[in-house]
């Protein structure tokens, strides 16, 4: 028996006040202990990290040979920790995956993409049509980095857009908020559905083999991992009939999530929109990086100036504003518009909806603060556009320097 398997079993017996031998006498206990034997092997690096404020688990998985990595459900408050871990392990971060649009924390995907230039953000396609991500994955497709391969399963219910990532080689699944350890995600907001959640749990997660390990996005009782067999045995919600489950969920009467108002708007835009004051350090750092003439990811940074105003008025740039339409409402400094602008929201880039723009035409990218427009430049660069300019500081700095 592997050491960590024996330790877990010993720990359970200690809590029950029983010696390990007595626990192992029952056939069910023996089966459960065997099911905990980790099969993750030596081909991958697997790390589980915890954010105490939101009770969120973040997962770092990498190919041990190539050092290319995937990070699942990063928390913005823990970006420094994740960044340090990735660098100390010598990894190249390829994907930041969010299992859904979170309501209890802001994702760290956007900040990590700024630090790791090869990184692309990933979220499920179905149910997340309005969310910004580099890649939107469909049900029953594969997301892989070298030897690390995940089957994507669309598991709606907690939200419309939840996904579960299943690794069949190493026999485990990252279940997000769909299935928790002896629990499940709530269904009373963000298009949640108790009926859909029940179906997702039963047909997409508990239908996996009994020995598959289940790693959730949260736990509130100090637990880190379960198995399909254990959830079948001990998850009282999962053992209900569909009608009983729907009735049970309807009666939970849970409190309003305390961070939902700051988390949802930011998470729909990869964690880079209207950040709380505690992240002002990041905004200051990005503004310092976006100095006039600097080139970041093939995008030239340009400062607001009288000369730039004249160039824009003379149509020397194709001005592309990547904010959402509801942000362009007149009346605030943040909503200032450049003359002759065209609007394509960042979430819509890559959908072949800009045939009028020549790939060799100078494009001036604009958003509220200069961060999303920089991300837009990175996307357009990968699509073959060559003359890309980012308005450093965005509409905020434009209004402050040009009109003040």
């Amino acid at each position: 028996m592997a050491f960590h398997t024996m330790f877990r079993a010993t720990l359970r017996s200690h809590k029950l006040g029983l010696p390990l031998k007595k626990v192992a006498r029952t056939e069910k206990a023996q089966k459960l202990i065997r099911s905990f034997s980790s099969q993750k092997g030596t081909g991958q690096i697997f790390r589980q990290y915890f954010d105490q404020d939101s009770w969120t688990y973040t997962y770092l998985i990498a190919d041990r040979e190539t050092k290319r990595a995937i990070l699942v459900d990063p928390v913005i408050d823990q970006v420094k920790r994740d960044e340090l871990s990735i660098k100390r392990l010598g990894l190249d971060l390829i994907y930041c995956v969010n299992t859904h649009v979170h309501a209890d924390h802001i994702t760290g995907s956007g900040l990590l993409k700024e630090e790791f230039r090869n990184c692309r953000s990933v979220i499920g396609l179905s149910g997340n049509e309005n969310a910004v991500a580099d890649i939107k994955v469909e049900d029953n497709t594969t997301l892989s980095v070298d030897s690390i391969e995940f089957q994507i399963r669309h598991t709606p219910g907690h939200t419309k857009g939840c996904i579960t990532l299943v690794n069949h080689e190493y026999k485990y699944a990252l279940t997000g908020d769909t299935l928790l350890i002896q629990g499940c995600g709530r269904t009373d907001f963000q298009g949640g559905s108790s009926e859909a959640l029940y179906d997702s749990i039963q047909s997409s997660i508990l239908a996996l083999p009994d020995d598959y390990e289940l790693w959730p996005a949260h736990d509130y009782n100090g637990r880190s991992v379960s198995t399909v067999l254990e959830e079948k045995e001990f998850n009282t919600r999962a053992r209900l009939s569909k009608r009983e489950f729907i009735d049970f969920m309807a009666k939970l009467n849970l409190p309003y999530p305390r961070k939902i108002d700051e988390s949802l708007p930011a998470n729909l835009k990869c964690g880079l929109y209207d950040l709380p004051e505690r992240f002002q350090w990041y905004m200051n750092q990005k503004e310092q990086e976006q100095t006039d003439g600097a080139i970041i990811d093939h995008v030239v940074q340009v400062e607001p100036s009288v000369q730039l105003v004249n160039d824009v008025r003379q149509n020397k740039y194709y001005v592309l504003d990547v904010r959402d339409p509801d942000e362009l409402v007149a009346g605030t400094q943040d909503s200032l518009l450049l003359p002759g602008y065209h609007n394509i929201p960042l979430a819509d880039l890559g959908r072949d909806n800009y045939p009028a723009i020549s790939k060799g035409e100078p494009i001036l990218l604009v958003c509220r603060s200069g961060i999303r427009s920089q991300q837009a430049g990175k996307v357009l660069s990968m699509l073959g556009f060559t003359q890309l300019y980012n308005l450093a500081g965005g509409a905020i700095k434009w209004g402050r320097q040009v009109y003040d």
Side-chain angles (χ1 to χ4, degrees):
M1 182 185 294
F3 171 78
H4 72 277
T5 304
M6 185 177 295
F7 174 77
R8 286 170 177 159
T10 305
L11 182 61
R12 284 199 299 276
S13 66
H14 175 72
K15 287 182 177 178
L16 293 171
L18 300 170
L20 177 60
K21 289 182 179 178
K22 189 170 185 178
V23 175
R25 286 175 187 170
T26 70
E27 182 178 349
K28 183 182 293 184
Q30 290 176 336
K31 193 174 183 181
L32 288 174
I33 292 171
R34 285 198 300 272
S35 76
F36 251 117
S37 181
S38 176
Q39 300 296 318
K40 284 189 282 299
T42 60
Q44 70 169 356
I45 295 169
F46 185 98
R47 298 286 187 274
Q48 181 190 58
Y49 301 108
F50 184 63
D51 174 60
Q52 189 169 359
D53 185 54
S54 63
W55 303 85
T56 299
Y57 285 123
T58 296
Y59 297 95
L60 178 64
I61 305 106
D63 182 290
R64 192 173 293 277
E65 290 189 8
T66 68
K67 302 293 187 179
R68 283 155 46 93
I70 299 173
L71 191 69
V72 180
D73 287 335
V75 177
I76 195 170
D77 301 84
Q78 300 293 344
V79 161
K80 293 292 186 182
R81 174 204 67 193
D82 296 342
E83 178 186 329
L84 184 61
S85 297
I86 292 166
K87 289 181 177 178
R88 282 180 171 175
L89 290 169
L91 304 179
D92 181 13
L93 185 61
I94 304 301
Y95 297 123
C96 271
V97 182
N98 286 291
T99 54
H100 60 291
V101 176
H102 300 275
D104 47 24
H105 67 269
I106 297 175
T107 177
S109 297
L111 268 64
L112 288 162
K113 282 176 58 180
E114 292 289 319
E115 183 63 32
F116 299 97
R117 299 303 188 186
N118 292 329
C119 180
R120 303 180 74 184
S121 57
V122 180
I123 201 166
L125 173 63
S126 181
N128 293 313
E129 289 79 7
N130 295 324
V132 172
D134 298 317
I135 300 171
K136 293 187 176 181
V137 290
E138 298 185 57
D139 182 44
N140 202 31
T141 57
T142 298
L143 182 72
S144 61
V145 171
D146 301 318
S147 68
I148 309 301
E149 184 174 288
F150 286 105
Q151 178 195 24
I152 303 299
R153 296 193 174 189
H154 181 221
T155 50
H158 173 60
T159 72
K160 289 182 178 180
C162 289
I163 58 173
T164 292
L165 291 82
V166 182
N167 189 305
H168 291 291
E169 180 179 0
Y170 296 111
K171 297 184 178 182
Y172 68 92
L174 307 179
T175 60
D177 284 18
T178 299
L179 184 66
L180 307 179
I181 297 174
Q182 296 174 35
C184 64
R186 61 194 293 175
T187 60
D188 55 338
F189 62 92
Q190 285 185 267
S193 165
S194 298
E195 182 175 1
L197 182 60
Y198 183 87
D199 290 340
S200 293
I201 291 171
Q202 299 297 333
S203 64
S204 294
I205 299 177
L206 295 186
L208 292 167
D210 284 351
D211 61 341
Y212 273 45
E213 292 180 345
L214 303 177
W215 299 82
H218 300 281
D219 188 78
Y220 309 95
N221 297 289
R223 300 164 299 196
S224 61
V225 62
S226 183
T227 66
V228 170
L229 178 61
E230 284 188 276
E231 294 310 302
K232 287 179 178 178
E233 292 283 349
F234 303 126
N235 192 321
T236 55
R237 298 185 189 184
R239 297 184 68 175
L240 298 172
S241 69
K242 181 183 282 191
R243 175 46 55 192
E244 291 171 333
F245 181 83
I246 292 171
D247 291 343
F248 175 85
M249 297 300 290
K251 296 174 183 177
L252 286 179
N253 194 28
L254 296 171
Y256 187 74
R258 63 185 176 90
K259 288 190 175 183
I260 189 171
D261 292 330
E262 72 173 30
S263 298
L264 284 185
N267 288 336
L268 286 169
K269 298 176 175 64
C270 206
L272 291 177
Y273 172 70
D274 200 19
L275 294 179
E277 284 296 320
R278 65 181 183 277
F279 299 109
Q280 188 58 48
W281 63 268
Y282 171 74
M283 304 299 290
N284 294 339
Q285 175 182 312
K286 290 296 110 182
E287 189 167 321
Q288 290 174 7
E289 289 178 1
Q290 292 178 349
T291 55
D292 197 48
I295 300 175
I296 303 174
D297 288 332
H298 309 290
V299 181
V300 180
Q301 311 300 306
V302 291
E303 294 275 358
S305 65
V306 174
Q307 181 61 52
L308 182 60
V309 172
N310 291 334
D311 289 344
V312 168
R313 287 174 176 166
Q314 294 173 24
N315 297 317
K316 292 186 178 181
Y317 294 96
Y318 184 97
V319 179
L320 183 57
D321 196 314
V322 298
R323 288 175 285 180
D324 287 345
D326 58 4
E327 296 179 66
L328 305 182
V329 178
T332 67
Q333 186 184 57
D334 294 0
S335 67
L336 286 172
L337 305 173
L338 275 67
Y341 78 95
H342 305 268
N343 178 228
I344 301 177
L346 178 57
D348 293 336
L349 288 180
R351 297 182 181 177
D352 198 25
N353 53 357
Y354 31 77
I357 313 175
S358 167
K359 291 192 174 181
E361 181 177 0
I363 301 174
L364 179 63
L365 296 154
V366 183
C367 71
R368 177 179 177 270
S369 64
I371 297 175
R372 277 178 290 161
S373 52
Q374 174 62 32
Q375 293 290 335
K378 184 177 180 179
V379 171
L380 292 176
S381 176
M382 290 189 292
L383 292 172
F385 291 86
T386 58
Q387 293 199 55
L388 299 168
Y389 300 85
N390 181 44
L391 181 62
I396 296 174
K397 196 168 184 179
W398 175 273
R400 191 166 61 228
Q401 293 194 8
V402 175
Y403 294 105
D404 286 356

